[in-house]
Amino acid sequence: MSNEKMVKSITSMEEDFAKWYTDVVLKAELVDYSSVRGCLIIRPYGYAIWENIQKLLNERFVETGHENVYMPLFIPESLLQKEKDHVEGFAPEVAWVTHGGNEKLEERMCVRPTSETLFCEHYANIVHSYRDLPKLYNQWCSVVRWEKTTRPFLRSREFLWQEGHTIHATAEEAKAETIQMLDVYADFVEQCLAIPVIKGQKTEKERFAGAEATYTIEALMHDGKALQSGTSHYFGDGFARAFGIQYADKDNQLTYPHQTSWGVSTRLIGAIIMAHGDDNGLVLPPAIAPKQVVVIPIAAHKAGVTEKATELYERLKKIARASIDLSEQSPGWKFAEYEMKGVPLRVEIGPKDIEQGQCVVVRRDNREKTFVKLDELEEKIPMLLKAVQDGLYQKALARRETMTYQATTMEEMIKTAQEKPGFIKAMWCGSRECEDALKEKAGVSSRCIPFEQEQIADRCVCCGKPAAKMLYWGKAY
Amino acid sequence: MSNEKMVKSITSMEEDFAKWYTDVVLKAELVDYSSVRGCLIIRPYGYAIWENIQKLLNERFVETGHENVYMPLFIPESLLQKEKDHVEGFAPEVAWVTHGGNEKLEERMCVRPTSETLFCEHYANIVHSYRDLPKLYNQWCSVVRWEKTTRPFLRSREFLWQEGHTIHATAEEAKAETIQMLDVYADFVEQCLAIPVIKGQKTEKERFAGAEATYTIEALMHDGKALQSGTSHYFGDGFARAFGIQYADKDNQLTYPHQTSWGVSTRLIGAIIMAHGDDNGLVLPPAIAPKQVVVIPIAAHKAGVTEKATELYERLKKIARASIDLSEQSPGWKFAEYEMKGVPLRVEIGPKDIEQGQCVVVRRDNREKTFVKLDELEEKIPMLLKAVQDGLYQKALARRETMTYQATTMEEMIKTAQEKPGFIKAMWCGSRECEDALKEKAGVSSRCIPFEQEQIADRCVCCGKPAAKMLYWGKAY
């Protein structure tokens, strides 16, 4: 048995994108399958990415005045049923608990698919006066939706997420919160995950169960499919009425408050993989990479190499999430391994480099090599990390621009959807009929009504009636 | 309706300790009840304490080489049944999921009561060679145990915890890990929560289901009852055999690895409340207090007071978790409110103080007042926080010492257990019969066989046969 592990190989993107994706999540050791179909094991490397996402998002939530809480895992059936649209949306896909130990429960409970009903019940208990408002709460937890088909991170029966739930005195405040949190998401996904997004509103058909308005950030994946990456909902006072939440305003009048909810999930890890990955594996943006730099000694058996590599590692630790690989594997094996894991920078150092007082830094995103003088390490590494972060964003943006098309007729729509993976911009009259027809005939769903509107035609791409709005359409995960 | 909220009042400890406890958890706004009996809502103030506990513990886990992962919420019945003792221990108290959406599941699943079985299944997948060992994993999550009687934080049907699960090449390594993590817990609880603990081993009767040895840290609460505050289990290779986990050792021989698990939960918040609280409410150790200092202006309507208070707050924010209360409530109301919430230091500043270039700092733990010169704030506040932290520990230690008794005869045991709440040290022959008899006749359970043994008699307190060990006995939560 050789001491050298096999270099891992994966299916190429071109050949089979779905298979490439599964290969990456497994070979980069992000997840493992469990015996519970559709539920994942998130391994240390995958969970470390989630922890970085949590940390950066949570800072933004705290800055905008939000507080974390924890609600029960279970929702009694009667509570789930209190808001009509909400229960219709979720009841068909929840997991039901019917027994506690050996006893049958008097009322069955579902495992939370989302927690609006629990927050509403709590708000009814603690909100009495205008002085109690707003409440700006967030929860980090797992939720369960009993999906028929599942894919790691993108659609699983259990997934990790955060769900913000806020309650406000006025509709204006609640609306402002809804948009603020969409902006927080967009900013985070663009700045930290290096993925450009389209901000917009969902159509009524795609709206969250029980919401008056749903806003979304939509990202484009490598294969031209859209990924809904975060949503923010405005509820008006619908839930407050259903749950009897009222407060005494300044004139002591009982009034219904207005609510929002918003969430992102481990789906974002799927977005990172499919927005930046390549045929060598994962490519991680430095902002959320568990390891930003890995030091690999070359010809480590030669005198002084391991010592020098360790010295570099000790220096790098102070300015980045650095690691070092002193194992007996060959440099070639290590290069492949850390490429698979998407580590943004690799620092190579061998006898010749030491002689010349330098090291070799290789970027994961474009394999660009830079010789860095050892005394400039602390200056150059952060610059290179920033270059990778910016480079990933620019590359993803350019790809999205190239893969965004327009259609003004149904013929064009069908042809583009068939031949050109990507977003399609097209005008829409506003009717559900046309939205359904586009799904049926062109296989595309409405992604969003973008905030940045363009008048690309006067008439609906489907029915030819006067158009109300320009929408993004596409195939989606 | 007055603008002044009612000052909250609570039952005194003397009058009814259980009622005092419930009053504190509700009035300090740590929790709220939900419609799911036995499941709690952890409110922002309670959750912030848990986040501080998580942060400090997680740092210690990372320092000792552990990695976080996330396992599924559900365990198929067949998987739970793989280890005989384990399933016997947990099956009677799990919540069963029987339906997904409208369909009956082929095999029912329980909501995890603990995740040994899931980790074992994963280890069987990923551990093949001695090079794959050890795996030092930890998970932060919620678990469910369908208890009959519940109390906030102390025993609830769902609770938050961390569960460490490690797997090692040798029994020695696994044993060392078990003890290391018990030490991490003991150090954390003593240093950060300011609660002294007794470290020791559980008797066979009190052992975790499936473990070869269970170690515990036991703390004494204000009412003289013991609280098991953290446990660490050594499994030997029992689970590995049950789950078929084997690795090729250096000689390429298939070998069973050895495992551990260890956990602490939101129970620690119950420990903080009952170890330090008083008739004015919560008393929080500064290390985990969400707010360490609160600034309260006195006669805030007078010129310059609000400005000066705000200035102090801005300075304090840089050295502590500080807050300021500029609301219209009276100072008296505010004093009571922050005492209820256990904020370690209160900083009062009024016109006279400003004139004299000072402020008044009041300790929550002993109400000691200190006049602090404004230009010494940055020096004195950290000293006072440290004094509170140390003071709480010393007070809890002194109380435990006063409330620890000895018994050498059964008569003494029964009398002490009846009359003197606290720990009772007594010798034990090692038999289950005597342990059961002590429970039945004196109402005490064995808390632990402490690492620090004392030879307080030669014979078992119950049967009079030669004694094997000295144990701590007591009534427990």
Side-chain angles (χ1 to χ4, degrees), chain A residues 1-5 31-36 39-45 47-48 51 58 67-76 79 91-103 105 108-109 111-112 118 121-122 125-126 129-132 135 137 140 142 144 146 148 157-158 160 248 252 329, chain B residues 1-5 31-36 39-45 47-48 51 58 67-76 79 91-103 105 108-109 111-112 118 121-122 125-126 129-132 135 137 140 142 144 146 148 157-158 160 248 252 329:
Chain A
M1 204 168 148
S2 155
N3 209 10
E4 175 99 354
K5 288 194 207 174
V31 303
D32 190 18
Y33 293 114
S34 78
S35 63
V36 191
C39 291
L40 282 182
I41 291 164
I42 307 183
R43 302 187 64 181
Y45 198 61
Y47 199 78
E51 286 182 312
N58 202 65
E67 299 179 294
N68 288 331
V69 298
Y70 189 77
M71 292 283 154
L73 175 63
F74 301 120
I75 306 174
L79 189 65
E93 59 172 39
V94 296
W96 291 105
V97 174
T98 56
H99 289 74
N102 299 317
E103 281 169 32
L105 301 182
R108 64 179 186 164
M109 316 173 299
V111 180
R112 63 178 165 228
L118 294 161
E121 187 190 31
H122 180 49
N125 264 346
I126 63 167
S129 148
Y130 68 92
R131 285 189 212 89
D132 300 324
K135 297 284 183 207
Y137 289 171
W140 293 95
S142 85
V144 170
W146 214 247
K148 300 273 180 213
R157 286 182 167 177
E158 181 191 12
L160 301 179
N252 217 14
Q329 305 291 353
Chain B
M1 203 168 150
S2 156
N3 209 10
E4 176 99 356
K5 289 194 207 175
V31 303
D32 191 16
Y33 293 115
S34 78
S35 64
V36 191
C39 290
L40 281 183
I41 291 164
I42 306 183
R43 302 187 63 180
Y45 198 61
Y47 199 77
E51 286 182 311
N58 203 65
E67 299 179 293
N68 288 331
V69 298
Y70 188 77
M71 291 282 155
L73 175 63
F74 301 120
I75 306 173
L79 188 65
E93 58 171 41
V94 295
W96 290 105
V97 174
T98 57
H99 289 73
N102 299 318
E103 281 169 33
L105 302 181
R108 64 178 186 166
M109 315 173 300
V111 180
R112 62 178 164 228
L118 294 162
E121 188 190 30
H122 181 49
N125 265 345
I126 64 167
S129 147
Y130 70 92
R131 286 188 211 92
D132 300 324
K135 297 285 182 207
Y137 288 171
W140 292 95
S142 85
V144 169
W146 215 248
K148 301 271 180 215
R157 286 183 167 176
E158 182 192 10
L160 302 179
N252 216 13
Q329 306 290 353

Side-chain angles (χ1 to χ4, degrees), chain A residues 1-8 295-301 325-338, chain B residues 129-132:
Chain A
M1 204 168 148
S2 155
N3 209 10
E4 175 99 354
K5 288 194 207 174
M6 287 278 292
V7 169
K8 295 165 182 174
V295 178
I296 298 176
I298 310 294
H301 56 283
D325 188 341
L326 295 175
S327 71
E328 286 170 14
Q329 305 291 353
S330 71
W333 184 91
K334 291 178 189 174
F335 295 173
E337 173 70 10
Y338 296 103
Chain B
S129 147
Y130 70 92
R131 286 188 211 92
D132 300 324

Side-chain angles (χ1 to χ4, degrees), chain A residues 105-118:
Chain A
L105 301 182
E106 279 177 34
E107 180 185 10
R108 64 179 186 164
M109 316 173 299
C110 70
V111 180
R112 63 178 165 228
T114 180
S115 305
E116 276 74 10
T117 53
L118 294 161

Side-chain angles (χ1 to χ4, degrees), chain B residues 2 32 51 82 86 111 132 152 162 164 174-175 179 218 223 234 278 289 292 306 309-310 315 323 328 368 395 401 448:
Chain B
S2 156
D32 191 16
E51 286 182 311
K82 276 204 173 178
H86 190 67
V111 180
D132 300 324
Q162 60 68 219
K175 283 178 188 169
I179 299 302
E218 299 280 326
D223 62 344
Y234 170 65
D278 64 23
Q292 295 173 315
T306 298
T310 305
R315 285 168 58 189
S323 69
E328 285 170 14
E368 206 174 88
K395 202 160 145 188
E401 280 171 2
C448 70

Side-chain angles (χ1 to χ4, degrees), chain A residues 4-17:
Chain A
E4 175 99 354
K5 288 194 207 174
M6 287 278 292
V7 169
K8 295 165 182 174
S9 71
I10 56 173
T11 309
S12 83
M13 281 182 163
E14 280 287 307
E15 197 186 317
D16 184 343
F17 191 79

Side-chain angles (χ1 to χ4, degrees), chain A residues 45-328:
Chain A
Y45 198 61
Y47 199 78
I49 297 174
W50 182 239
E51 286 182 312
N52 287 338
I53 291 175
Q54 284 189 300
K55 185 172 172 293
L56 292 165
L57 267 177
N58 202 65
E59 283 170 10
R60 287 163 165 81
F61 297 161
V62 170
E63 270 168 29
T64 43
H66 299 85
E67 299 179 294
N68 288 331
V69 298
Y70 189 77
M71 292 283 154
L73 175 63
F74 301 120
I75 306 174
E77 188 163 19
S78 57
L79 189 65
L80 186 68
Q81 286 171 340
K82 275 205 174 178
E83 210 286 335
K84 194 181 62 63
D85 293 335
H86 190 68
V87 66
E88 276 176 19
F90 285 102
E93 59 172 39
V94 296
W96 291 105
V97 174
T98 56
H99 289 74
N102 299 317
E103 281 169 32
K104 189 163 188 242
L105 301 182
E106 279 177 34
E107 180 185 10
R108 64 179 186 164
M109 316 173 299
C110 70
V111 180
R112 63 178 165 228
T114 180
S115 305
E116 276 74 10
T117 53
L118 294 161
F119 276 88
C120 284
E121 187 190 31
H122 180 49
Y123 287 143
N125 264 346
I126 63 167
V127 171
H128 305 295
S129 148
Y130 68 92
R131 285 189 212 89
D132 300 324
L133 294 172
K135 297 284 183 207
L136 308 173
Y137 289 171
N138 176 63
Q139 167 168 263
W140 293 95
C141 65
S142 85
V143 287
V144 170
R145 296 178 188 176
W146 214 247
E147 309 271 2
K148 300 273 180 213
T149 53
T150 61
R151 296 192 61 192
F153 296 125
L154 300 175
R155 194 171 294 277
S156 53
R157 286 182 167 177
E158 181 191 12
F159 57 91
L160 301 179
W161 80 344
Q162 61 66 221
E163 45 179 324
H165 294 269
T166 68
I167 185 161
H168 307 260
T170 67
E172 290 61 42
E173 274 181 51
K175 284 177 187 169
E177 165 82 6
T178 313
I179 299 301
Q180 171 185 254
M181 298 323 289
L182 192 78
D183 287 341
V184 164
Y185 287 156
D187 180 72
F188 167 75
V189 172
E190 298 198 330
Q191 299 301 313
C192 300
L193 308 189
I195 303 172
V197 294
I198 308 284
K199 288 195 278 190
Q201 187 170 357
K202 285 284 184 189
T203 61
E204 196 180 334
K205 181 183 176 183
E206 301 287 334
R207 205 178 273 167
F208 181 81
E212 278 194 18
T214 287
Y215 300 91
T216 180
I217 49 171
E218 298 281 326
L220 196 67
M221 302 295 100
H222 219 294
D223 62 345
K225 280 198 198 170
L227 188 78
Q228 176 182 304
S229 306
T231 49
S232 185
H233 315 291
Y234 169 65
F235 289 128
D237 61 4
F239 274 93
R241 286 177 189 272
F243 285 81
I245 313 171
Q246 284 188 302
Y247 70 95
D249 68 12
K250 286 187 182 169
D251 304 321
N252 217 14
Q253 297 297 307
L254 277 182
T255 311
Y256 289 110
H258 292 70
Q259 289 172 262
T260 83
S261 81
W262 27 276
V264 297
S265 72
T266 34
R267 213 168 204 229
L268 290 177
I269 300 177
I272 297 166
I273 300 167
M274 292 195 296
H276 304 307
D278 64 23
D279 283 346
N280 297 311
L282 210 55
V283 179
L284 294 178
I288 52 84
K291 296 175 181 179
Q292 297 173 314
V293 191
V294 58
V295 178
I296 298 176
I298 310 294
H301 56 283
K302 296 263 175 83
V305 173
T306 298
E307 291 70 14
K308 198 72 187 173
T310 306
E311 187 194 311
L312 292 194
Y313 163 63
E314 292 296 335
R315 285 168 58 188
L316 287 169
K317 261 201 322 192
K318 292 176 190 146
I319 55 164
R321 292 189 287 272
S323 70
I324 185 168
D325 188 341
L326 295 175
S327 71
E328 286 170 14

Side-chain angles (χ1 to χ4, degrees), chain B residues 150-257:
Chain B
T150 62
R151 296 193 61 192
F153 296 124
L154 300 175
R155 194 171 294 277
S156 52
R157 286 183 167 176
E158 182 192 10
F159 56 92
L160 302 179
W161 81 344
Q162 60 68 219
E163 44 180 325
H165 294 269
T166 68
I167 186 161
H168 307 259
T170 66
E172 290 61 43
E173 274 182 50
K175 283 178 188 169
E177 165 82 7
T178 313
I179 299 302
Q180 172 186 255
M181 298 322 289
L182 191 79
D183 287 341
V184 164
Y185 287 156
D187 180 71
F188 168 74
V189 172
E190 298 197 331
Q191 298 301 313
C192 300
L193 308 188
I195 303 172
V197 295
I198 307 283
K199 288 194 279 190
Q201 186 170 358
K202 286 284 184 190
T203 60
E204 196 179 332
K205 182 183 176 182
E206 302 286 334
R207 204 178 275 166
F208 180 80
E212 277 193 20
T214 287
Y215 300 91
T216 180
I217 49 171
E218 299 280 326
L220 196 67
M221 302 295 101
H222 218 295
D223 62 344
K225 280 197 197 169
L227 188 77
Q228 177 181 304
S229 305
T231 49
S232 186
H233 316 291
Y234 170 65
F235 290 128
D237 60 6
F239 274 92
R241 286 175 188 273
F243 285 81
I245 314 170
Q246 284 188 303
Y247 70 96
D249 68 12
K250 287 186 182 171
D251 303 321
N252 216 13
Q253 296 297 309
L254 278 182
T255 312
Y256 289 110

